[in-house]
Amino acid sequence: MKVGYLCTFTPKEIIYSAGFQPFRVFATERPIELASAYIQSYSCSQARGALECALKDDFYAFVFTRCCDTLMRLTDIFEFAGKRVYNIEFPTKIGNVEYYLRELKDFVEVLRDWGGEVSFESLVESLKLYRELEEGLKQLFSVFPDYETAIKVQQIDVKDAIKLVDEKLKSAKKEKESPKVLITGSVCPYPKIYDLFREAGFSIKDDLCTGSRFFEYIYPTFEPEDLEGALRFIAEKYFYKSPCPTKHYESDRRFEYVIKLAEDCDAVVFLLVKFCEPHFFDYPQLKSELEKMGKKVALIELEFPVVSTEQIRTRIEALREVIL
Amino acid sequence: MISAGIDIGSITAKCVILQGDKILAYSILRVKPNLEESAREIFEKTLELAGLSKEEVDSIVATGYGRGRVDFANKKITEISCHAIGSHFLIPDVGTVIDIGGQDSKVIAVENGKVLDFVMNDKCAAGTGRFIEVMANALGLKIEQIGELALRATERLKISSTCTVFAESEVVSYLSAGKKVEEIIAGVCDAIAGRLIAMASRVGIRREVVLTGGVAKNLGVRRAIEEKIGFGVKVPPEPQIVGALGAAVLGSG
Ligand SMILES: Nc1ncnc2c1ncn2[C@@H]1O[C@H](COP(=O)(O)OP(=O)(O)OP(=O)(O)O)[C@@H](O)[C@H]1O
Ligand SMILES: [Mg+2]
């Protein structure tokens, strides 16, 4: 049974260990029809597209983790629309592991109510599988950033996902090194958009939830010995995951992270979903930091489903011409 | 060296044939749904005007949103670069190009003909030539009359809808309220200029400001832009061909 989730901070390992299929919900190619009864057209189209999926497709339940304001309110809307929903209070301010551990314990109880038992063994196995997937994707991306695969693996069984990444890795051809563009933003579930960058002559690096933010972690170094230990491992794994603008970090981790990624790039594209507040709030400051580094910066706004790719193509090709 | 620039835009196809720094011929046609055919047609027409055969043209560069469909071109370059280069060719001290076409409007920061930065409007038609065409239609006017009429208005009405479809109903409701056509038109031109200047402030406006694209021929829009930025802009004698000209310049090496 599918359990839908939206944010990369969701502990999918726990969902999987309880016998459910974690399924990352993205906006699709389908036009937004039913969702318009619940959400205005001037809000994030990833949220609108996800609701459209929830209303049309078959899910057992949905798990949210505290993220941007829109996703928080989406939790209410899903509930209002009669869906089975659970919201994990992921701390906005990163640091307090004990607090988040309690949240995760509650979540285990919720899964039990849904008919899924989480044991120490099943959770360790699930952690192992997802780590294998993450390491595989990291390897694949170091040869060729394959967004189609990175998106697909979030919607299938992790064991099949590992096999898929393995196959892709075998046939992957190294991308030429330059000019390189860093694409930063939240989600872009349409592989054709990444192709536009390649067709314009760019090689790609990303800071996206549909790319490296799905598999970039700094793993805790301890071996869990019991269920609580495994949950603690997950709490720490997600605290030290690639940072996102919806979270507050002690230091300036988010900016430092993006700036580091940009170092070997010729240009940075902010590929932002219209009305995505957390990313747009950061945009002016981050843009000026990047420009100080001598990077060419461009903003491309998307609305899902993406229809006019030719306008996007012109922006990308023009950026390529500017850095020539 | 003879080079041709072909600009397949969303509304019109343009072609310029250039020899050294002399424009031998140019032409403008409405595009057809078949872009390949439009490209061939505009090229042949311009060749005829220049009294040349295809074989005499050394290089062909395509631009505009249909640039990928000009199968006989040697090269394709975006209209961002082409408008910058074309403007620089005509007005060497250009600092900002404002290109208002049928579907897109673009503001390009330029230095010595090189693009420093640019912004484009979003996919909707508000703030573009299409917007004015829809309004002209609602008022039963020809696009060429719009500018002169706007200049005659003593008062300007406010068009506050950002969406073309809603703005059209605003225009219609002004009409039924008995407002004067020129005042409505002046309001439409003002609305276009307002959107552009908001967009332009993202890259900054530096002198000289050159207006290109078909809408640069609209005196009402031109005046509204000048009022908002507080100084005069430059408009090439045929602003609609600047993209094609830039492409031809690029092709000439
Ligand atoms: N004589 C004129 N007076 C006023 N406006 C005009 C005139 N001729 C054309 N226009 C305007 O110019 C617009 C077309 O401009 P242009 O030919 O530059 O567009 P395009 O290059 O096809 O479009 P885009 O660059 O957006 O793809 C028309 O929509 C119309 O509003
Ligand atoms: Mg044009």
Side-chain angles (χ1 to χ4, degrees), chain A residues 111-314:
Chain A
L111 287 168
R112 180 173 298 137
D113 291 344
W114 289 355
E117 195 67 43
V118 179
S119 70
F120 171 60
E121 289 73 23
S122 68
L123 187 51
V124 167
E125 171 67 9
S126 170
L127 268 167
K128 196 184 112 258
L129 287 170
Y130 274 100
R131 182 154 179 175
E132 195 178 333
L133 173 63
E134 288 149 12
E135 307 273 11
L137 282 167
K138 228 182 274 184
Q139 245 186 316
L140 177 61
F141 268 59
S142 70
V143 183
F144 180 82
D146 179 346
Y147 294 91
E148 193 169 357
T149 301
I151 292 160
K152 189 155 183 214
V153 294
Q154 304 187 43
Q155 301 185 322
I156 56 176
D157 188 289
V158 60
K159 287 179 189 147
D160 299 328
I162 292 169
K163 272 189 225 133
L164 177 67
V165 172
D166 250 14
E167 273 164 36
K168 293 286 177 184
L169 193 55
K170 275 182 209 133
S171 57
K173 283 199 192 66
K174 182 91 185 149
E175 205 169 31
K176 67 165 180 32
E177 273 301 303
S178 71
K180 193 183 267 182
V181 63
L182 172 68
I183 308 173
T184 175
S186 58
V187 293
C188 174
Y190 305 96
K192 65 182 176 193
I193 301 297
Y194 306 94
D195 293 341
L196 293 177
F197 284 90
R198 295 202 166 103
E199 284 158 19
F202 279 113
S203 71
I204 312 177
K205 195 171 171 183
D206 79 86
D207 162 50
L208 295 169
C209 280
T210 38
S212 67
R213 287 221 297 272
F214 175 72
F215 56 77
E216 283 290 344
Y217 294 88
I218 301 167
Y219 299 95
T221 47
F222 66 90
E223 287 288 327
E225 280 167 3
D226 51 15
L227 185 59
E228 178 165 331
L231 293 174
R232 184 181 293 278
F233 188 95
I234 289 175
E236 289 192 15
K237 172 177 172 182
Y238 282 92
F239 276 14
Y240 297 101
K241 154 191 195 313
S242 38
C244 148
T246 64
K247 307 284 179 284
H248 296 295
Y249 300 92
E250 278 303 334
S251 63
D252 216 356
R253 220 171 98 203
R254 167 81 193 142
F255 273 30
E256 283 162 12
Y257 180 80
V258 179
I259 284 166
K260 182 117 191 46
L261 283 177
E263 262 164 18
D264 68 339
C265 295
D266 302 280
V268 179
V269 168
F270 286 79
L271 189 67
L272 303 187
V273 185
K274 256 194 199 325
F275 314 111
C276 175
E277 288 174 356
H279 279 278
F280 274 104
F281 280 140
D282 278 357
Y283 169 69
Q285 282 185 8
L286 198 48
K287 173 178 191 264
S288 82
E289 289 297 316
L290 292 161
E291 281 173 345
K292 268 187 234 151
M293 293 164 73
K295 307 293 171 195
K296 278 283 167 203
V297 178
L299 169 66
I300 297 178
E301 290 184 57
L302 298 180
E303 193 151 16
F304 302 156
V306 176
V307 280
S308 45
T309 46
E310 288 314 302
Q311 282 206 326
I312 301 173
R313 186 193 300 280
T314 296

Side-chain angles (χ1 to χ4, degrees), chain B residues 56-71:
Chain B
E56 291 171 274
V57 177
D58 303 297
S59 110
I60 304 169
V61 175
T63 186
Y65 106 105
R67 64 190 173 283
R69 297 299 187 75
V70 188
D71 43 18

